[in-house]
Amino acid sequence: MTPTDVTRSGRGVTGIDLSDLDGFWAAPIPARAAAFAELRARDPLSFHPEPDSPWRDPDGGFHAVTRLDDVLAASRAPQVFCSGRGSTSIPDMPAEFVEFFGSMIGMDDPRHARLRRIVSRGFTPRRLARLTEDVAATARRIVDEVIDRGECDAVTDIAARLPMTIVCDLMGVPASQYDFVFDASNVVLGAGDPDYVPEGSDIVTAILTAAGGLAELMRDLGAKRAQDPTDDVTSALVNAEIDGERLTPDELASFFILLVVAGNETTRNAISWGLHLLTENPDQRDVWLADVDGVTPTAVDEIVRLASPVIFMRRTCTQDTELGGTAMREGDKVALFYWAANRDPAHFTDPDRFDVRRDPNPHVGFGGPGPHFCLGAHLARREMSVMFRELLTRVPDIHTTAPPSRLRSMFINGVKALPVAFTAGGVR
Ligand code: HEM
């Protein structure tokens, strides 16, 4: 057996099994961090069998990239480590999913660049500046609604509502549809967790039904805006023409699904983990409270680093190659573990420490340097900044009263519920 074959047999030197959803991924966060520290130090590019899923390839597996330098190197070489073959999660995407989930996050240039050029129009600094007022007003309303209660669920009552409202507002989705969009996005990204699959349905049907509903909503809205444009992003997208091209109705629908899942679940988990981190680190709350405006920019990035709401993204080798000294073959699946790279002691001093003033903070929570770097990073930072400013100035003693109830997933570092308490009435 060659050295590569030993690695591929799944007999890693550490015995750590990254495909174990109910063992490894359900373990407490410090245990997860310790295991990744061991992998980074002893076996930074280990090979694992595919995790359990309806689409699991029993003979397949993936390389796990855990060091920041290797994540950066792969991100910078998208022609070798591509996004457009199979999927960006471990199992290849089944054919029936492509209609809804065949969005730009799973494409390579030149198709990716074409779509990104068109949709970037929806994310211009001018449009985002206009959105700032909406973000602030929405955050204020969210806190207004809970402030007299003295307690609530931080996920559904606080963290989830801001990104949902903003993404829907951005696209021009009417408020009457917010609940539907929220439930559907939970199903799409949380379908590995029994709590999010409607009773009596299997995972595949649940995901396709949810995505089909989102797509229909967007096709209808797109048709309306093509006739009668407003100043929302849907109008910009259906009427944008770049080099004679515009988005087709199906491209618009799958972009919306991407935005809903990429923009909602991530931001809401970041805000929820942020509240948990603040509770666990009272010294850092004090530092932040002492200078809310000054500390917010670094604090928000530190939350994204430690939360790493997107745990990994997959790439696929387009040719035989090498990464960090490990040989890889064409077609190999490579998981870039942003969560692990964000705790790499080679780049982050005292990496498990929550340090709201950490600077520099070269984290890859929004992805590595390359074509797929998060399109919504500015918006996400803005949403988180405004939400925490609102919370820290109006309910400064907000704290969690139980540990986060975590999503069963190795892809999304999700929080399903997080009870919090604060002095009722707060500061108006
Ligand atoms: C804290 C919040 C967020 C986190 C942690 C996050 C994380 C990420 C990551 C890691 C990627 C890279 C995917 C890859 O490597 O292939 C990504 C891509 C993307 N994100 Fe975000 N994201 C956040 C918020 C948002 C928001 C608010 C939006 C939009 C409303 C958004 C839209 C997108 C889109 C469209 C892409 C795909 C870009 C492309 O393929 O060119 N994200 N995000």
Side-chain angles (χ1 to χ4, degrees):
M1 219 184 235
T2 65
T4 320
D5 289 332
V6 170
T7 320
R8 278 173 185 272
S9 74
R11 281 189 284 134
V13 293
T14 60
I16 293 168
D17 179 5
L18 293 185
S19 4
D20 182 2
L21 284 178
D22 295 312
F24 181 88
W25 291 103
I29 296 290
R32 185 196 288 177
F36 269 123
E38 191 181 346
L39 278 173
R40 252 189 329 262
R42 294 179 58 210
D43 199 7
L45 259 149
S46 49
F47 195 81
H48 302 264
E50 293 203 5
D52 185 29
S53 84
W55 309 282
R56 176 172 190 267
D57 170 2
D59 303 319
F62 63 94
H63 300 275
V65 183
T66 55
R67 286 194 301 218
L68 182 63
D69 285 339
D70 294 335
V71 167
L72 297 178
S75 303
R76 288 188 177 118
Q79 62 293 351
V80 180
F81 299 97
C82 79
S83 298
R85 272 207 210 175
S87 179
T88 46
S89 60
I90 303 284
D92 284 353
M93 198 184 312
E96 69 264 37
F97 275 41
V98 173
E99 177 188 352
F100 301 133
F101 300 105
S103 62
M104 66 180 187
I105 205 163
M107 287 178 192
D108 299 313
D109 289 348
R111 270 188 88 201
H112 171 265
R114 169 189 164 264
L115 274 177
R116 181 129 180 166
R117 252 193 337 261
I118 298 179
V119 301
S120 297
R121 294 211 161 175
F123 289 78
T124 56
R126 220 183 62 199
R127 199 177 287 274
L128 290 188
R130 223 185 308 151
L131 209 64
T132 305
E133 279 172 37
D134 298 350
V135 177
T138 307
R140 194 165 179 82
R141 226 173 26 243
I142 289 169
V143 175
D144 281 346
E145 275 175 30
V146 295
I147 202 161
D148 289 330
R149 284 160 49 188
E151 59 179 18
C152 65
D153 173 44
V155 177
T156 45
D157 295 330
I158 298 176
R161 296 192 45 208
L162 183 65
M164 164 65 53
T165 310
I166 295 303
V167 168
C168 286
D169 259 14
L170 194 72
M171 297 299 283
V173 173
S176 58
Q177 300 289 334
Y178 290 1
D179 284 349
F180 164 72
V181 175
F182 180 63
D183 291 343
S185 74
N186 274 341
V187 173
V188 170
L189 267 193
D193 190 300
D195 279 357
Y196 286 132
V197 181
E199 231 178 287
S201 76
D202 65 288
I203 294 182
V204 178
T205 314
I207 296 179
L208 287 175
T209 308
L214 290 170
E216 196 181 307
L217 191 158
M218 202 25 70
R219 283 199 207 97
D220 284 355
L221 190 64
K224 282 197 191 108
R225 295 300 194 259
Q227 292 283 318
D228 207 355
T230 65
D231 67 350
D232 60 28
V233 171
T234 305
S235 303
L237 295 182
V238 289
N239 298 301
E241 224 177 275
I242 296 189
D243 301 335
E245 295 174 309
R246 56 177 73 205
L247 284 188
T248 64
D250 283 350
E251 284 173 334
L252 178 69
S254 52
F255 176 64
F256 176 57
I257 292 173
L258 172 64
L259 270 196
V260 164
V261 293
N264 279 333
E265 303 283 332
T266 49
T267 313
R268 93 166 193 215
N269 289 318
I271 294 172
S272 303
W273 281 116
L275 285 168
H276 171 73
L277 287 164
L278 270 182
T279 306
E280 300 263 289
N281 298 275
D283 63 317
Q284 294 302 299
R285 177 196 301 264
D286 291 345
V287 171
W288 198 347
L289 277 174
D291 180 10
V292 174
D293 284 342
V295 173
T296 296
T298 47
V300 157
D301 269 274
E302 178 69 343
I303 291 171
V304 174
R305 179 183 77 86
L306 277 180
S308 294
V310 177
I311 297 175
F312 76 90
M313 289 298 282
R314 171 188 143 192
R315 301 292 187 259
T316 308
C317 298
T318 59
Q319 60 189 63
D320 290 354
T321 187
E322 172 276 328
L323 184 64
T326 296
M328 296 178 178
R329 299 181 197 143
E330 183 191 351
D332 276 4
K333 299 175 177 181
V334 183
L336 307 179
F337 276 98
Y338 299 140
W339 198 97
N342 281 341
R343 286 168 167 77
D344 186 339
H347 291 271
F348 303 99
T349 317
D350 205 355
D352 294 318
R353 185 177 141 67
F354 178 52
D355 173 1
V356 290
R357 282 185 299 201
R358 189 179 290 274
D359 186 21
N361 188 347
H363 70 82
V364 284
F366 291 115
H372 294 282
F373 182 80
C374 178
L375 179 67
H378 288 305
L379 179 57
R381 286 188 173 111
R382 179 148 302 164
E383 288 181 32
M384 291 174 64
S385 301
V386 168
M387 193 76 239
F388 277 103
R389 206 171 285 139
E390 192 72 19
L391 290 169
L392 288 170
T393 49
R394 298 184 63 202
V395 280
D397 63 347
I398 186 168
H399 58 279
T400 61
T401 53
S405 155
R406 283 160 46 199
L407 183 71
R408 179 181 185 266
S409 171
M410 66 177 280
F411 184 50
I412 293 295
N413 196 28
V415 181
K416 294 188 290 186
L418 185 66
V420 289
F422 43 86
T423 305
V427 180
R428 284 182 190 276

